[in-house]
Amino acid sequence: MRTLFVAAVVLIVVVPAFGATMNVTVGPALSFMPSNVTIAPGDTVSWNWTGSAHTSTSDNPIGPDSWNSGVLVNGSFTHTFNNVGNFPYYCALHSFPGGTFMNGVVHVVAAAPTLTNVNPSSGSTAGGTSVTLTGTNFASGCTVDFGGSAGVGSAVSNSTTITTTTPSHAAGAVTVTVTCASGSASLMNGFTFNNAPSITSVNPTSALPGATVTIIGTGFQIGATVSFGGVASPTVTFVNATTLQAVVPNISPGPATIVVTNPDALSASFNGFSVISLAVPLMSREFLLLMAVALGIVALKMISR
């Protein structure tokens, strides 16, 4: 069992993740075919000799993306490119750096970004909503805009995540665009700017726990919640953008501020509502004594008869 386990570990360790490979033919004439290739970071170029003595040598002799195949007649030489840029090369036997006879260029171009999700997808017209954008091929320096207005403090967390803060913007759905050095990506109707809701009236303005009240206002959204004095209503019914119905929770009697909160966290409050008490007031000692005396008098009169 130990032998099998070790073998499995070795297999996992030695299996690499390969990028694409671009093949270039070296010779037999004094040329590289094709002489200009375009690849993505992580891809490999394979130079393949066809029987003539040549080299594949980078113009820049030092650096992470410099290479020199040495003189070969047959076989192949490969180099994997991890950095974005243009990397010229030549045959050291038949040309020189910057020459035009037996020279070539490897263009390493970052893949264009993609944008798949914006979370949350709505917020206030005043701006200030922190959002996370998800996609691919994000890189340092990428920017975000919402309907033409730049996001505030955009930061690339990794190649698939950008965080930013929404700017102020007129109400409505807008296209969200990520722009990087390698290109741009957009998500139509990717974010909606909403006005905060408002409450204009509540009917009735006082009720027992368990009663249903109607809340009239503007900007209500499906999924809005309602609280009475900080306690959530057990049942909220969305009628339309101007009407909600909510059940009064079981809370202490007295004034209770009603707060409507939309799914985008924008809210409105109403201070003119009171919860009615369910309890019957206890009779005072004096009242009970008077009642006892009265009943006693009535009883004596009945006995005297």
Side-chain angles (χ1 to χ4, degrees):
M1 290 297 291
R2 177 179 295 180
T3 301
L4 291 175
F5 175 77
V6 172
V9 171
V10 171
L11 286 173
I12 293 172
V13 171
V14 299
V15 174
F18 290 103
T21 298
M22 175 68 71
N23 290 299
V24 174
T25 300
V26 183
L30 302 181
S31 64
F32 298 106
M33 292 296 292
S35 59
N36 288 267
V37 297
T38 300
I39 61 175
D43 288 352
T44 297
V45 175
S46 177
W47 288 271
N48 307 298
W49 274 254
T50 57
S52 300
H54 299 291
T55 77
S56 173
T57 307
S58 60
D59 283 14
N60 185 1
I62 59 174
D65 276 320
S66 63
W67 71 94
N68 187 0
S69 68
V71 178
L72 294 176
V73 176
N74 293 292
S76 299
F77 173 81
T78 62
H79 180 76
T80 299
F81 293 81
N82 295 309
N83 299 292
V84 173
N86 297 318
F87 302 94
Y89 66 96
Y90 65 104
C91 172
L93 298 180
H94 302 102
S95 190
F96 53 88
T100 58
F101 190 57
M102 193 171 182
N103 295 73
V105 180
V106 177
H107 305 280
V108 184
V109 179
T114 65
L115 178 59
T116 56
N117 187 58
V118 178
N119 184 40
S121 59
S122 62
S124 171
T125 55
T129 302
S130 179
V131 299
T132 298
L133 289 77
T134 304
T136 61
N137 303 320
F138 299 152
S140 178
C142 292
T143 60
V144 181
D145 78 68
F146 297 80
S149 298
V152 180
S154 299
V156 178
S157 301
N158 51 54
S159 63
T160 62
T161 306
I162 298 177
T163 58
T164 190
T165 301
T166 60
S168 59
H169 197 283
V174 300
T175 296
V176 180
T177 301
V178 174
T179 301
C180 304
S182 58
S184 62
S186 297
L187 191 60
M188 186 176 295
N189 298 327
F191 190 86
T192 301
F193 288 91
N194 294 317
N195 290 311
S198 65
I199 301 174
T200 56
S201 65
V202 173
N203 184 38
T205 56
S206 60
L208 293 168
T212 298
V213 299
T214 300
I215 303 169
I216 305 298
T218 61
F220 300 149
Q221 298 174 7
I222 296 175
T225 60
V226 178
S227 66
F228 293 76
V231 179
S233 168
T235 305
V236 178
T237 302
F238 176 85
V239 179
N240 52 48
T242 62
T243 306
L244 297 175
Q245 291 183 329
V247 173
V248 181
N250 187 18
I251 57 176
S252 301
T257 298
I258 295 177
V259 177
V260 173
T261 303
N262 280 335
D264 60 10
L266 300 180
S267 62
S269 60
F270 181 83
N271 293 317
F273 182 81
S274 295
V275 178
I276 299 173
S277 174
L278 282 169
V280 177
L282 295 176
M283 296 181 181
S284 67
R285 175 180 293 183
E286 292 79 6
F287 179 78
L288 291 174
L289 288 173
L290 289 174
M291 287 292 293
V293 171
L295 290 173
I297 293 172
V298 171
L300 286 174
K301 286 183 177 182
M302 292 181 66
I303 292 173
S304 64
R305 290 179 184 178

